[in-house]
Amino acid sequence: MFKKFDEKDSVSSVQQLKSSVQKGIRSKLLELYPLLDKYIDQIIPKKDSFRFVKCHDHIEILVNSAGDLLFFRQRESLWMPTLKLLHKYPFMLPLQQVDKGAIKFVLSGANIMCPGLTSKGARMTSVEKGAIVAVMAEGKHHALAVGITTLSTDEIAHVNKGIGIENCHYLNDGLWQMKPVK
């Protein structure tokens, strides 16, 4: 999604959000990520003003008043946290760990294949198809990608071929390198 994302070319507009829209997004985020309940006031304070950064390919990025990139989505899909936010609150998403051999492929934007999730160094948290997950690497402490499962973990273990997680945002991609939006 952000492989060829360039801040200068991709950002088309920045739009201030109405308070009613902010409340709707806040409640949707709490519904999606119930573990953030205690921290939602730190991430999205009620009195703060938020903006949408609209980009090409129907991508929207939620930005706080300081310009920090918090969540993103494409074409009205589910809100996904940026990796910088996920590194601050690593418990917010289920973790799927890939083996060491998959790291360089994930960091180049490749989708995560089922064998990389079922091999010796990998671990999976039980989730359904279409779940937003954090992709961890064997021996590393921080997530290296955010993705959406294309199969449930049971199906990934049973089938063990094909794409298991669609890579949406990874370390050092265009979104990671994007500067705060003022």
PDB file of all heavy atoms in Angstrom, residues 5-33:
ATOM      1  N   PHE A   5       4.774   5.157  -1.915  1.00  0.00           N
ATOM      2  CA  PHE A   5       4.136   6.325  -1.328  1.00  0.00           C
ATOM      3  C   PHE A   5       5.175   7.411  -1.130  1.00  0.00           C
ATOM      4  O   PHE A   5       6.191   7.201  -0.488  1.00  0.00           O
ATOM      5  CB  PHE A   5       3.507   5.926   0.014  1.00  0.00           C
ATOM      6  CG  PHE A   5       2.732   7.012   0.691  1.00  0.00           C
ATOM      7  CD1 PHE A   5       1.417   7.238   0.366  1.00  0.00           C
ATOM      8  CD2 PHE A   5       3.318   7.799   1.673  1.00  0.00           C
ATOM      9  CE1 PHE A   5       0.682   8.225   1.004  1.00  0.00           C
ATOM     10  CE2 PHE A   5       2.607   8.786   2.313  1.00  0.00           C
ATOM     11  CZ  PHE A   5       1.275   8.999   1.976  1.00  0.00           C
ATOM     12  N   ASP A   6       4.937   8.573  -1.708  1.00  0.00           N
ATOM     13  CA  ASP A   6       5.827   9.709  -1.537  1.00  0.00           C
ATOM     14  C   ASP A   6       4.995  10.869  -1.010  1.00  0.00           C
ATOM     15  O   ASP A   6       3.981  11.218  -1.597  1.00  0.00           O
ATOM     16  CB  ASP A   6       6.480  10.088  -2.869  1.00  0.00           C
ATOM     17  CG  ASP A   6       7.417  11.262  -2.720  1.00  0.00           C
ATOM     18  OD1 ASP A   6       8.247  11.241  -1.791  1.00  0.00           O
ATOM     19  OD2 ASP A   6       7.298  12.205  -3.507  1.00  0.00           O
ATOM     20  N   GLU A   7       5.416  11.426   0.082  1.00  0.00           N
ATOM     21  CA  GLU A   7       4.646  12.468   0.770  1.00  0.00           C
ATOM     22  C   GLU A   7       4.284  13.632  -0.156  1.00  0.00           C
ATOM     23  O   GLU A   7       3.146  14.090  -0.179  1.00  0.00           O
ATOM     24  CB  GLU A   7       5.459  12.960   1.963  1.00  0.00           C
ATOM     25  CG  GLU A   7       4.743  13.928   2.847  1.00  0.00           C
ATOM     26  CD  GLU A   7       5.567  14.303   4.059  1.00  0.00           C
ATOM     27  OE1 GLU A   7       6.605  13.679   4.322  1.00  0.00           O
ATOM     28  OE2 GLU A   7       5.152  15.239   4.751  1.00  0.00           O
ATOM     29  N   LYS A   8       5.229  14.106  -0.950  1.00  0.00           N
ATOM     30  CA  LYS A   8       4.978  15.258  -1.820  1.00  0.00           C
ATOM     31  C   LYS A   8       3.987  14.944  -2.935  1.00  0.00           C
ATOM     32  O   LYS A   8       3.139  15.757  -3.273  1.00  0.00           O
ATOM     33  CB  LYS A   8       6.291  15.751  -2.420  1.00  0.00           C
ATOM     34  CG  LYS A   8       7.209  16.364  -1.405  1.00  0.00           C
ATOM     35  CD  LYS A   8       8.529  16.743  -2.017  1.00  0.00           C
ATOM     36  CE  LYS A   8       9.447  17.243  -0.917  1.00  0.00           C
ATOM     37  NZ  LYS A   8      10.837  17.054  -1.195  1.00  0.00           N
ATOM     38  N   ASP A   9       4.107  13.766  -3.523  1.00  0.00           N
ATOM     39  CA  ASP A   9       3.253  13.402  -4.651  1.00  0.00           C
ATOM     40  C   ASP A   9       1.930  12.785  -4.232  1.00  0.00           C
ATOM     41  O   ASP A   9       0.935  12.901  -4.946  1.00  0.00           O
ATOM     42  CB  ASP A   9       3.983  12.411  -5.567  1.00  0.00           C
ATOM     43  CG  ASP A   9       5.246  13.002  -6.162  1.00  0.00           C
ATOM     44  OD1 ASP A   9       5.290  14.237  -6.319  1.00  0.00           O
ATOM     45  OD2 ASP A   9       6.172  12.231  -6.462  1.00  0.00           O
ATOM     46  N   SER A  10       1.905  12.101  -3.111  1.00  0.00           N
ATOM     47  CA  SER A  10       0.727  11.322  -2.743  1.00  0.00           C
ATOM     48  C   SER A  10      -0.320  12.078  -1.944  1.00  0.00           C
ATOM     49  O   SER A  10      -1.496  11.758  -2.014  1.00  0.00           O
ATOM     50  CB  SER A  10       1.159  10.078  -1.955  1.00  0.00           C
ATOM     51  OG  SER A  10       1.995   9.270  -2.749  1.00  0.00           O
ATOM     52  N   VAL A  11       0.071  13.049  -1.138  1.00  0.00           N
ATOM     53  CA  VAL A  11      -0.880  13.792  -0.309  1.00  0.00           C
ATOM     54  C   VAL A  11      -1.626  14.792  -1.179  1.00  0.00           C
ATOM     55  O   VAL A  11      -1.033  15.623  -1.840  1.00  0.00           O
ATOM     56  CB  VAL A  11      -0.171  14.508   0.864  1.00  0.00           C
ATOM     57  CG1 VAL A  11      -1.137  15.395   1.628  1.00  0.00           C
ATOM     58  CG2 VAL A  11       0.477  13.493   1.783  1.00  0.00           C
ATOM     59  N   SER A  12      -2.971  14.680  -1.165  1.00  0.00           N
ATOM     60  CA  SER A  12      -3.759  15.596  -2.001  1.00  0.00           C
ATOM     61  C   SER A  12      -4.395  16.719  -1.189  1.00  0.00           C
ATOM     62  O   SER A  12      -4.527  17.826  -1.690  1.00  0.00           O
ATOM     63  CB  SER A  12      -4.822  14.826  -2.779  1.00  0.00           C
ATOM     64  OG  SER A  12      -5.644  14.101  -1.914  1.00  0.00           O
ATOM     65  N   SER A  13      -4.815  16.439   0.061  1.00  0.00           N
ATOM     66  CA  SER A  13      -5.403  17.499   0.877  1.00  0.00           C
ATOM     67  C   SER A  13      -5.368  17.128   2.351  1.00  0.00           C
ATOM     68  O   SER A  13      -5.219  15.969   2.711  1.00  0.00           O
ATOM     69  CB  SER A  13      -6.847  17.776   0.450  1.00  0.00           C
ATOM     70  OG  SER A  13      -7.674  16.695   0.795  1.00  0.00           O
ATOM     71  N   VAL A  14      -5.537  18.161   3.184  1.00  0.00           N
ATOM     72  CA  VAL A  14      -5.644  17.974   4.631  1.00  0.00           C
ATOM     73  C   VAL A  14      -6.951  18.638   5.053  1.00  0.00           C
ATOM     74  O   VAL A  14      -7.220  19.780   4.697  1.00  0.00           O
ATOM     75  CB  VAL A  14      -4.455  18.621   5.378  1.00  0.00           C
ATOM     76  CG1 VAL A  14      -4.599  18.450   6.880  1.00  0.00           C
ATOM     77  CG2 VAL A  14      -3.133  18.035   4.894  1.00  0.00           C
ATOM     78  N   GLN A  15      -7.765  17.891   5.790  1.00  0.00           N
ATOM     79  CA  GLN A  15      -9.101  18.367   6.139  1.00  0.00           C
ATOM     80  C   GLN A  15      -9.312  18.305   7.647  1.00  0.00           C
ATOM     81  O   GLN A  15      -9.058  17.279   8.275  1.00  0.00           O
ATOM     82  CB  GLN A  15     -10.126  17.480   5.421  1.00  0.00           C
ATOM     83  CG  GLN A  15     -11.553  17.748   5.753  1.00  0.00           C
ATOM     84  CD  GLN A  15     -12.471  16.724   5.075  1.00  0.00           C
ATOM     85  OE1 GLN A  15     -12.034  15.817   4.381  1.00  0.00           O
ATOM     86  NE2 GLN A  15     -13.754  16.877   5.303  1.00  0.00           N
ATOM     87  N   GLN A  16      -9.766  19.411   8.228  1.00  0.00           N
ATOM     88  CA  GLN A  16     -10.076  19.463   9.655  1.00  0.00           C
ATOM     89  C   GLN A  16     -11.354  18.646   9.905  1.00  0.00           C
ATOM     90  O   GLN A  16     -12.309  18.742   9.142  1.00  0.00           O
ATOM     91  CB  GLN A  16     -10.300  20.918  10.073  1.00  0.00           C
ATOM     92  CG  GLN A  16     -10.523  21.123  11.551  1.00  0.00           C
ATOM     93  CD  GLN A  16      -9.245  20.958  12.345  1.00  0.00           C
ATOM     94  OE1 GLN A  16      -8.173  21.309  11.895  1.00  0.00           O
ATOM     95  NE2 GLN A  16      -9.370  20.412  13.538  1.00  0.00           N
ATOM     96  N   LEU A  17     -11.381  17.875  10.988  1.00  0.00           N
ATOM     97  CA  LEU A  17     -12.551  17.052  11.301  1.00  0.00           C
ATOM     98  C   LEU A  17     -13.495  17.777  12.251  1.00  0.00           C
ATOM     99  O   LEU A  17     -13.051  18.437  13.181  1.00  0.00           O
ATOM    100  CB  LEU A  17     -12.114  15.732  11.942  1.00  0.00           C
ATOM    101  CG  LEU A  17     -11.338  14.775  11.064  1.00  0.00           C
ATOM    102  CD1 LEU A  17     -10.922  13.561  11.871  1.00  0.00           C
ATOM    103  CD2 LEU A  17     -12.164  14.348   9.876  1.00  0.00           C
ATOM    104  N   LYS A  18     -14.775  17.603  12.011  1.00  0.00           N
ATOM    105  CA  LYS A  18     -15.783  18.122  12.940  1.00  0.00           C
ATOM    106  C   LYS A  18     -15.753  17.270  14.196  1.00  0.00           C
ATOM    107  O   LYS A  18     -15.367  16.098  14.171  1.00  0.00           O
ATOM    108  CB  LYS A  18     -17.170  18.029  12.316  1.00  0.00           C
ATOM    109  CG  LYS A  18     -17.371  18.891  11.108  1.00  0.00           C
ATOM    110  CD  LYS A  18     -18.775  18.683  10.577  1.00  0.00           C
ATOM    111  CE  LYS A  18     -19.007  19.459   9.296  1.00  0.00           C
ATOM    112  NZ  LYS A  18     -20.336  19.194   8.741  1.00  0.00           N
ATOM    113  N   SER A  19     -16.208  17.835  15.305  1.00  0.00           N
ATOM    114  CA  SER A  19     -16.190  17.091  16.570  1.00  0.00           C
ATOM    115  C   SER A  19     -17.082  15.856  16.506  1.00  0.00           C
ATOM    116  O   SER A  19     -16.767  14.830  17.103  1.00  0.00           O
ATOM    117  CB  SER A  19     -16.593  17.993  17.730  1.00  0.00           C
ATOM    118  OG  SER A  19     -17.892  18.497  17.535  1.00  0.00           O
ATOM    119  N   SER A  20     -18.192  15.923  15.774  1.00  0.00           N
ATOM    120  CA  SER A  20     -19.075  14.754  15.657  1.00  0.00           C
ATOM    121  C   SER A  20     -18.386  13.618  14.902  1.00  0.00           C
ATOM    122  O   SER A  20     -18.538  12.441  15.258  1.00  0.00           O
ATOM    123  CB  SER A  20     -20.377  15.139  14.951  1.00  0.00           C
ATOM    124  OG  SER A  20     -20.113  15.636  13.658  1.00  0.00           O
ATOM    125  N   VAL A  21     -17.598  13.954  13.885  1.00  0.00           N
ATOM    126  CA  VAL A  21     -16.850  12.936  13.135  1.00  0.00           C
ATOM    127  C   VAL A  21     -15.767  12.335  14.021  1.00  0.00           C
ATOM    128  O   VAL A  21     -15.543  11.127  14.026  1.00  0.00           O
ATOM    129  CB  VAL A  21     -16.248  13.548  11.845  1.00  0.00           C
ATOM    130  CG1 VAL A  21     -15.357  12.547  11.129  1.00  0.00           C
ATOM    131  CG2 VAL A  21     -17.346  14.050  10.919  1.00  0.00           C
ATOM    132  N   GLN A  22     -15.098  13.191  14.812  1.00  0.00           N
ATOM    133  CA  GLN A  22     -14.074  12.714  15.742  1.00  0.00           C
ATOM    134  C   GLN A  22     -14.660  11.727  16.749  1.00  0.00           C
ATOM    135  O   GLN A  22     -14.048  10.703  17.038  1.00  0.00           O
ATOM    136  CB  GLN A  22     -13.448  13.892  16.498  1.00  0.00           C
ATOM    137  CG  GLN A  22     -12.492  14.696  15.684  1.00  0.00           C
ATOM    138  CD  GLN A  22     -11.859  15.834  16.452  1.00  0.00           C
ATOM    139  OE1 GLN A  22     -11.440  16.791  15.846  1.00  0.00           O
ATOM    140  NE2 GLN A  22     -11.778  15.767  17.761  1.00  0.00           N
ATOM    141  N   LYS A  23     -15.847  12.039  17.272  1.00  0.00           N
ATOM    142  CA  LYS A  23     -16.502  11.130  18.224  1.00  0.00           C
ATOM    143  C   LYS A  23     -16.804   9.794  17.578  1.00  0.00           C
ATOM    144  O   LYS A  23     -16.639   8.743  18.192  1.00  0.00           O
ATOM    145  CB  LYS A  23     -17.797  11.752  18.763  1.00  0.00           C
ATOM    146  CG  LYS A  23     -17.577  12.864  19.744  1.00  0.00           C
ATOM    147  CD  LYS A  23     -18.911  13.439  20.194  1.00  0.00           C
ATOM    148  CE  LYS A  23     -18.709  14.674  21.033  1.00  0.00           C
ATOM    149  NZ  LYS A  23     -19.974  15.331  21.380  1.00  0.00           N
ATOM    150  N   GLY A  24     -17.259   9.828  16.333  1.00  0.00           N
ATOM    151  CA  GLY A  24     -17.560   8.594  15.608  1.00  0.00           C
ATOM    152  C   GLY A  24     -16.317   7.750  15.393  1.00  0.00           C
ATOM    153  O   GLY A  24     -16.351   6.525  15.573  1.00  0.00           O
ATOM    154  N   ILE A  25     -15.225   8.398  15.018  1.00  0.00           N
ATOM    155  CA  ILE A  25     -13.967   7.678  14.812  1.00  0.00           C
ATOM    156  C   ILE A  25     -13.463   7.116  16.124  1.00  0.00           C
ATOM    157  O   ILE A  25     -13.020   5.966  16.199  1.00  0.00           O
ATOM    158  CB  ILE A  25     -12.913   8.600  14.161  1.00  0.00           C
ATOM    159  CG1 ILE A  25     -13.319   8.918  12.726  1.00  0.00           C
ATOM    160  CG2 ILE A  25     -11.527   7.975  14.216  1.00  0.00           C
ATOM    161  CD1 ILE A  25     -12.469   9.971  12.064  1.00  0.00           C
ATOM    162  N   ARG A  26     -13.555   7.897  17.166  1.00  0.00           N
ATOM    163  CA  ARG A  26     -13.113   7.461  18.499  1.00  0.00           C
ATOM    164  C   ARG A  26     -13.877   6.218  18.954  1.00  0.00           C
ATOM    165  O   ARG A  26     -13.278   5.247  19.419  1.00  0.00           O
ATOM    166  CB  ARG A  26     -13.316   8.618  19.474  1.00  0.00           C
ATOM    167  CG  ARG A  26     -12.820   8.378  20.863  1.00  0.00           C
ATOM    168  CD  ARG A  26     -13.163   9.617  21.700  1.00  0.00           C
ATOM    169  NE  ARG A  26     -13.058   9.331  23.090  1.00  0.00           N
ATOM    170  CZ  ARG A  26     -12.001   9.655  23.842  1.00  0.00           C
ATOM    171  NH1 ARG A  26     -10.998  10.285  23.308  1.00  0.00           N
ATOM    172  NH2 ARG A  26     -11.979   9.364  25.117  1.00  0.00           N
ATOM    173  N   SER A  27     -15.198   6.230  18.781  1.00  0.00           N
ATOM    174  CA  SER A  27     -15.994   5.063  19.191  1.00  0.00           C
ATOM    175  C   SER A  27     -15.697   3.851  18.299  1.00  0.00           C
ATOM    176  O   SER A  27     -15.656   2.718  18.780  1.00  0.00           O
ATOM    177  CB  SER A  27     -17.486   5.392  19.187  1.00  0.00           C
ATOM    178  OG  SER A  27     -17.927   5.692  17.886  1.00  0.00           O
ATOM    179  N   LYS A  28     -15.452   4.084  17.006  1.00  0.00           N
ATOM    180  CA  LYS A  28     -15.107   2.989  16.100  1.00  0.00           C
ATOM    181  C   LYS A  28     -13.768   2.375  16.488  1.00  0.00           C
ATOM    182  O   LYS A  28     -13.598   1.150  16.461  1.00  0.00           O
ATOM    183  CB  LYS A  28     -15.066   3.514  14.655  1.00  0.00           C
ATOM    184  CG  LYS A  28     -14.836   2.464  13.618  1.00  0.00           C
ATOM    185  CD  LYS A  28     -16.031   1.547  13.512  1.00  0.00           C
ATOM    186  CE  LYS A  28     -15.833   0.550  12.398  1.00  0.00           C
ATOM    187  NZ  LYS A  28     -16.814  -0.506  12.432  1.00  0.00           N
ATOM    188  N   LEU A  29     -12.810   3.217  16.873  1.00  0.00           N
ATOM    189  CA  LEU A  29     -11.505   2.718  17.292  1.00  0.00           C
ATOM    190  C   LEU A  29     -11.606   1.894  18.571  1.00  0.00           C
ATOM    191  O   LEU A  29     -10.939   0.870  18.709  1.00  0.00           O
ATOM    192  CB  LEU A  29     -10.518   3.874  17.476  1.00  0.00           C
ATOM    193  CG  LEU A  29     -10.070   4.572  16.194  1.00  0.00           C
ATOM    194  CD1 LEU A  29      -9.226   5.796  16.520  1.00  0.00           C
ATOM    195  CD2 LEU A  29      -9.307   3.625  15.292  1.00  0.00           C
ATOM    196  N   LEU A  30     -12.441   2.344  19.511  1.00  0.00           N
ATOM    197  CA  LEU A  30     -12.635   1.573  20.745  1.00  0.00           C
ATOM    198  C   LEU A  30     -13.317   0.234  20.464  1.00  0.00           C
ATOM    199  O   LEU A  30     -13.038  -0.765  21.129  1.00  0.00           O
ATOM    200  CB  LEU A  30     -13.443   2.380  21.758  1.00  0.00           C
ATOM    201  CG  LEU A  30     -12.655   3.444  22.500  1.00  0.00           C
ATOM    202  CD1 LEU A  30     -13.572   4.307  23.342  1.00  0.00           C
ATOM    203  CD2 LEU A  30     -11.575   2.812  23.356  1.00  0.00           C
ATOM    204  N   GLU A  31     -14.193   0.229  19.489  1.00  0.00           N
ATOM    205  CA  GLU A  31     -14.860  -1.016  19.084  1.00  0.00           C
ATOM    206  C   GLU A  31     -13.848  -1.978  18.445  1.00  0.00           C
ATOM    207  O   GLU A  31     -13.841  -3.169  18.737  1.00  0.00           O
ATOM    208  CB  GLU A  31     -15.964  -0.662  18.081  1.00  0.00           C
ATOM    209  CG  GLU A  31     -16.820  -1.799  17.625  1.00  0.00           C
ATOM    210  CD  GLU A  31     -17.829  -1.312  16.593  1.00  0.00           C
ATOM    211  OE1 GLU A  31     -18.526  -0.313  16.840  1.00  0.00           O
ATOM    212  OE2 GLU A  31     -17.903  -1.952  15.527  1.00  0.00           O
ATOM    213  N   LEU A  32     -12.974  -1.445  17.588  1.00  0.00           N
ATOM    214  CA  LEU A  32     -11.966  -2.263  16.914  1.00  0.00           C
ATOM    215  C   LEU A  32     -10.856  -2.719  17.861  1.00  0.00           C
ATOM    216  O   LEU A  32     -10.354  -3.830  17.752  1.00  0.00           O
ATOM    217  CB  LEU A  32     -11.319  -1.469  15.776  1.00  0.00           C
ATOM    218  CG  LEU A  32     -12.060  -1.370  14.477  1.00  0.00           C
ATOM    219  CD1 LEU A  32     -11.392  -0.356  13.562  1.00  0.00           C
ATOM    220  CD2 LEU A  32     -12.132  -2.723  13.796  1.00  0.00           C
ATOM    221  N   TYR A  33     -10.438  -1.830  18.758  1.00  0.00           N
ATOM    222  CA  TYR A  33      -9.301  -2.090  19.640  1.00  0.00           C
ATOM    223  C   TYR A  33      -9.717  -1.889  21.097  1.00  0.00           C
ATOM    224  O   TYR A  33      -9.356  -0.880  21.716  1.00  0.00           O
ATOM    225  CB  TYR A  33      -8.133  -1.162  19.277  1.00  0.00           C
ATOM    226  CG  TYR A  33      -7.791  -1.203  17.814  1.00  0.00           C
ATOM    227  CD1 TYR A  33      -8.060  -0.115  16.989  1.00  0.00           C
ATOM    228  CD2 TYR A  33      -7.227  -2.336  17.246  1.00  0.00           C
ATOM    229  CE1 TYR A  33      -7.759  -0.160  15.633  1.00  0.00           C
ATOM    230  CE2 TYR A  33      -6.924  -2.387  15.896  1.00  0.00           C
ATOM    231  CZ  TYR A  33      -7.193  -1.307  15.098  1.00  0.00           C
ATOM    232  OH  TYR A  33      -6.905  -1.346  13.760  1.00  0.00           O
TER     233      TYR A  33
END
